[in-house]
């Protein structure tokens, strides 16, 4: 069991659909992350939120829209995705103190398939 | 780009120690070395991290060379459940968050 919960575990959507991925943690962490992982590849960072504010966007296309409504929740809104966006989407959280060396904790991801 | 180099794959017999090497020759003085693993269909799991000194926890030991240019993760008694991809990551320092850049990792296969 992980302390970072992601829903849904699996999602199949068409290219014209709008859907959202959700992530929740109750460890008091103030930094939250979205990663994308293609098959047989390492995770790649997409977004970082620190104290509910977007601090890093790794040049992610605008069809991916992150949102951090409060310190425990992180959403990823999806719209007009392409088949190449099919991947495992991972959420992580960590302490956000400047200079902290504490690790990130990951959820088990949402496996997304675009038809 | 990732700042670490790891072997693509390794085998280990069940019950034996698994020693996973990692090279990070360009590491800076204030950068930590982190190890994660990813079992199939799960998210990455944190194992251990260190700066200069050797570290040990309930899962593994981390040995960092004196010049900090390489490290070794040791699983003392490998089991079949330790079969996973192991990632060695040098954490980029700066800002209020720790940005992790994953390399390709080592696929450890524990054999019965």
């Amino acid at each position: 069991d992980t302390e970072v919960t992601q829903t849904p575990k699996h999602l199949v959507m068409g290219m014209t659909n709008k859907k959202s991925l959700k992530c929740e943690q109750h460890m008091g962490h103030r930094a939250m992350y979205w990663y994308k992982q293609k098959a047989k590849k390492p995770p790649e960072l997409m977004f970082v939120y620190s104290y509910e504010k977007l601090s890093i966007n790794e040049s992610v296309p605008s069809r991916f829209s992150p949102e951090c409504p409060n310190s425990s929740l992180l959403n990823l809104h999806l719209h007009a995705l392409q088949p190449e966006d099919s991947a495992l989407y991972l959420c992580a959280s960590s302490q956000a103190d400047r200079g902290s060396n504490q690790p990130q904790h990951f959820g088990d991801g949402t496996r997304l398939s675009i038809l | 780009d990732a700042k670490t180099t790891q072997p693509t794959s390794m085998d280990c017999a069940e019950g034996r120690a698994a020693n996973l090497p990692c090279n990070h020759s360009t590491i800076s003085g204030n950068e930590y070395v982190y190890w994660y693993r990813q079992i199939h269909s799960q998210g990455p799991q944190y194992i251990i991290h260190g700066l200069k000194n050797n570290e040990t926890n309930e899962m593994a030991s981390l040995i960092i060379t004196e010049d900090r240019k390489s490290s070794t993760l040791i699983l003392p008694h490998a089991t079949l459940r330790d079969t996973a991809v192991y990632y060695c990551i040098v954490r980029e320092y700066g800002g209020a968050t720790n940005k992790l850049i994953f390399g390709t990792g080592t696929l450890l296969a524990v054999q019965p």
Side-chain angles (χ1 to χ4, degrees):
Chain A
D1 290 343
T2 64
E3 297 170 313
V4 176
T5 303
Q6 292 188 242
T7 56
K9 293 189 184 303
H10 302 274
L11 179 61
V12 179
M13 59 186 287
M15 289 188 285
T16 59
N17 292 156
K18 289 184 180 180
K19 296 287 185 182
S20 297
L21 309 185
K22 297 186 184 300
C23 174
E24 187 170 6
Q25 58 87 16
H26 294 287
M27 294 179 281
H29 292 164
R30 301 303 295 274
M32 297 187 76
Y33 311 77
W34 281 115
Y35 289 81
K36 175 182 178 178
Q37 186 175 24
K38 301 282 284 183
K40 301 188 185 301
K41 298 291 186 182
E44 295 181 342
L45 183 66
M46 300 174 71
F47 301 104
V48 180
Y49 272 83
S50 178
Y51 294 96
E52 295 85 69
K53 294 190 188 315
L54 184 65
S55 62
I56 296 177
N57 176 340
E58 293 287 293
S59 303
V60 178
S62 60
R63 58 185 184 270
F64 295 91
S65 176
E67 177 196 22
C68 191
N70 61 55
S71 61
S72 299
L73 294 175
L74 184 67
N75 299 321
L76 186 63
H77 303 297
L78 315 172
H79 173 55
L81 295 194
Q82 303 298 309
E84 60 265 28
D85 296 323
S86 297
L88 181 67
Y89 287 85
L90 294 160
C91 173
S93 71
S94 74
Q95 294 182 6
D97 301 328
R98 184 175 291 274
S100 170
N101 62 15
Q102 293 306 300
Q104 293 181 24
H105 297 260
F106 285 80
D108 282 337
T110 293
R111 190 162 300 281
L112 176 66
S113 298
I114 306 301
L115 300 179
Chain B
D1 291 346
K3 299 178 69 172
T4 61
T5 304
Q6 300 176 253
T8 302
S9 63
M10 295 181 63
D11 288 341
C12 177
E14 189 177 18
R16 303 296 295 270
N19 295 276
L20 292 94
C22 179
N23 287 320
H24 32 79
S25 58
T26 61
I27 193 170
S28 300
N30 59 358
E31 289 180 317
Y32 285 78
V33 179
Y34 288 77
W35 283 83
Y36 284 78
R37 72 180 183 184
Q38 189 171 22
I39 296 169
H40 183 61
S41 297
Q42 297 182 16
Q45 177 190 23
Y46 165 75
I47 301 173
I48 198 167
H49 72 282
L51 181 63
K52 297 179 182 179
N53 300 322
N54 297 338
E55 302 288 345
T56 295
N57 63 21
E58 65 277 6
M59 290 182 67
S61 294
L62 174 60
I63 308 299
I64 303 174
T65 58
E66 191 170 345
D67 63 7
R68 303 212 320 125
K69 293 184 177 182
S70 66
S71 61
T72 300
L73 179 74
I74 301 172
L75 307 179
H77 305 286
T79 71
L80 298 178
R81 288 176 294 181
D82 292 322
T83 292
V85 177
Y86 287 77
Y87 294 104
C88 168
I89 303 166
V90 169
R91 194 198 98 180
E92 289 194 7
Y93 187 82
T97 58
N98 58 71
K99 182 176 177 179
L100 298 180
I101 299 177
F102 287 78
T104 52
T106 296
L107 174 58
L108 175 68
V110 180
Q111 308 291 343

